[in-house]
Amino acid sequence: MIAADRFARLRQCASDPNAYAALQPGLRYFDHPAGFVAYRRTLAGNVVLGDPVAEPAQASVLLSAFLQAHPGSVFGYLSETGAAALAQASGRRMRFVRIGTERCLDLTQPLSFSASTQGALKKARKARLQVTERNLSELGAADLAQLRAINAEFIRLSPSKKEIGFISRLLQLAPEPDVRFFVIEAAATPIGFCVLDPWYEGAQLKGYQLHQFRLLPTKIWGVFLSVVALLAEQLRAEGYRCLSLGGCIGPISPGEQALPVSGVYDYCRDLTFRLIDRYHPLTNLSKNKFEFAGTDLNRYLAAPHRLPLIPLARLARANNIL
């Protein structure tokens, strides 16, 4: 299956806000008449990225075929639907662990922002902060060089000194189908940018997922909050229904789960998150995302291994964390 065919299949079948990540460079694919599975080979094993791309009724068929060809694979960032399809397709015991959520804003309802977000918007207006959409194909060499410099400086100043990839795909800075690019400016000076990936449902655009957010050091407080608020207002005015803010980590709320669970996996997940947070400050970013009212989509890691060390290590390595 060529790239154009995979994009067409994804646009036709996918309904997950993170589905577009399956089209990123550097992945392997298992192609099947029902659809395809995107995965990465790492640490002598496979890590599947998200849900299979297929019509819902064919997801289990596709996963069964994949597992026959690649037994022992680890599945990362599955949705509830994808996890249920995997549980049905797997012929051996598969262990599932909730690894976070994805905060999604409902743009069909009037937007109501927290006091912190309203305060950030006030400071943004005072600093003449703007979020302007730009067409990457129309930018000159100097503009692209400036954006690359912003990205490089952002990564240099991060605790890990590197960019996480895979679940949140690496930055392209090149035109991509249905992807939107916004420059963040303060007093007409670029200080950052963000990327919105398309979120499909029924072969139509229902909204977007905030995929990349890059920002230089600034004295303006709450830039993330104000940018998200401005984007949400613009997308709502354009008639879109949803805006996903991407993955969040934090306390996993207890509750009934129909999937096979493992206390060992839960413990190791919490320990792994604490270690990762030292170098990739995901907790603080998640707190900012939780400032916005919305619904949370649960995300799962699944593996047939009795102990979670290999699955968690493979997932971390696939994301360029290790």
Side-chain angles (χ1 to χ4, degrees), residues 34 37 51-66 81-82 84-86 88-89:
V37 173
D51 293 356
V53 178
E55 295 289 350
Q58 294 295 310
S60 293
V61 173
L62 173 56
L63 287 170
S64 293
F66 175 80
T81 302
L86 177 62
Q88 179 181 349

Side-chain angles (χ1 to χ4, degrees), residues 17-320:
N18 201 59
Y20 202 86
L23 302 178
Q24 66 186 282
L27 298 183
R28 299 187 182 191
Y29 294 97
F30 176 81
D31 293 316
H32 184 273
F36 68 89
V37 173
Y39 66 98
R40 177 166 285 169
R41 182 80 178 170
T42 184
L43 297 181
N46 297 327
V47 181
V48 175
L49 174 57
D51 293 356
V53 178
E55 295 289 350
Q58 294 295 310
S60 293
V61 173
L62 173 56
L63 287 170
S64 293
F66 175 80
L67 287 170
Q68 288 180 5
H70 301 286
S73 293
V74 173
F75 294 77
Y77 213 64
L78 289 165
S79 70
E80 292 269 6
T81 302
L86 177 62
Q88 179 181 349
S90 178
R92 56 190 295 193
R93 176 179 170 81
M94 191 73 68
R95 292 168 175 84
F96 294 82
V97 58
R98 230 174 289 184
I99 57 172
T101 62
E102 186 157 342
R103 175 57 57 96
C104 300
L105 281 58
D106 183 358
L107 303 182
T108 65
Q109 301 297 321
L111 296 173
S112 177
F113 298 131
S114 67
S116 295
T117 303
Q118 292 179 37
L121 285 169
K122 183 177 180 180
K123 293 182 182 297
R125 287 190 289 269
K126 185 176 180 180
R128 292 191 291 154
L129 188 138
Q130 291 184 317
V131 182
T132 307
E133 186 167 10
R134 302 294 297 273
N135 188 335
L136 288 172
S137 63
E138 298 176 354
L139 295 182
D143 291 327
L144 290 172
Q146 185 178 41
L147 295 173
R148 292 191 183 97
I150 290 173
N151 188 57
E153 182 68 0
F154 177 87
I155 294 173
R156 187 187 72 82
L157 294 174
S158 68
S160 65
K161 312 293 185 188
K162 60 182 180 180
E163 187 173 6
I164 296 177
F166 193 54
I167 288 177
S168 178
R169 63 193 187 92
L170 297 177
L171 179 69
Q172 298 301 308
L173 273 184
E176 300 173 281
D178 291 339
V179 175
R180 299 175 69 172
F181 186 87
F182 294 82
V183 175
I184 305 167
E185 296 177 318
T189 300
I191 61 171
F193 59 83
C194 57
V195 181
L196 297 184
D197 279 356
W199 180 358
Y200 303 112
E201 184 176 75
Q204 300 294 322
L205 264 171
K206 67 178 289 186
Y208 292 89
Q209 181 197 61
L210 181 59
H211 152 56
Q212 295 282 4
F213 188 91
R214 297 288 184 259
L215 186 67
L216 294 176
T218 177
K219 294 181 179 179
I220 308 171
W221 181 85
V223 173
F224 179 85
L225 299 176
S226 57
V227 168
V228 169
L230 292 171
L231 288 173
E233 289 174 341
Q234 178 174 337
L235 294 176
R236 185 172 188 271
E238 292 174 356
Y240 292 106
R241 293 180 283 151
C242 301
L243 172 62
S244 166
L245 303 185
C248 306
I249 66 169
I252 304 297
S253 58
E256 293 185 1
Q257 180 176 308
L259 302 167
V261 297
S262 167
V264 175
Y265 268 63
D266 288 344
Y267 173 80
C268 290
R269 170 204 60 209
D270 294 342
L271 178 61
T272 301
F273 280 178
R274 286 196 294 270
L275 293 173
I276 290 174
D277 218 29
R278 296 180 181 180
Y279 305 98
H280 302 275
L282 302 178
T283 297
N284 287 336
L285 180 58
S286 297
K287 287 179 180 177
N288 281 329
K289 293 177 182 180
F290 289 137
E291 285 286 339
F292 295 90
T295 58
D296 289 330
L297 305 179
N298 288 325
R299 294 296 185 178
Y300 295 91
L301 169 72
H305 305 72
R306 185 173 63 88
L307 296 176
L309 300 180
I310 290 177
L312 287 169
R314 286 180 179 166
L315 182 64
R317 180 59 180 164
N319 281 280
N320 198 33

